[in-house]
Amino acid sequence: MTAEEAEPTVTAFMLVKTTPEWLALTVEERVEAFTTQVLPVIQSKAKDVTSRFYDTEFYSTRVTDVWV
């Protein structure tokens, strides 16, 4: 595939303010919830979406997690 034929890539950053219940989960539980509950909804709208989850461990800011 040539550069002219390639689809453009878009990177979206979602700055997320979560609930205390979310923050009480372990990192493993958060990743599991994201991959089983959030990601399928996104992929139902856009099939080629991939994601990365960054656990920032912010507890008193406007943003608690970053999803890429």
Side-chain angles (χ1 to χ4, degrees), residues 44-57:
S44 73
K45 306 294 183 204
K47 300 288 183 217
D48 295 330
V49 170
T50 60
S51 66
R52 289 188 183 168
F53 176 82
Y54 296 92
D55 184 31
T56 56
E57 294 299 334

Side-chain angles (χ1 to χ4, degrees), residues 24-43:
L25 298 173
T26 66
V27 173
E28 293 80 15
E29 291 170 326
R30 291 181 202 178
V31 170
E32 175 70 17
F34 181 80
T35 57
T36 61
Q37 297 177 34
V38 177
L39 196 52
V41 174
I42 296 169
Q43 289 177 330

Side-chain angles (χ1 to χ4, degrees), residues 15-20 22-24 30 53-66:
L15 306 178
V16 182
K17 176 63 176 173
T18 57
T19 63
W22 176 263
L23 295 174
R30 291 181 202 178
F53 176 82
Y54 296 92
D55 184 31
T56 56
E57 294 299 334
F58 293 137
Y59 291 94
S60 61
T61 64
R62 292 179 59 180
V63 175
T64 57
D65 292 303
V66 178

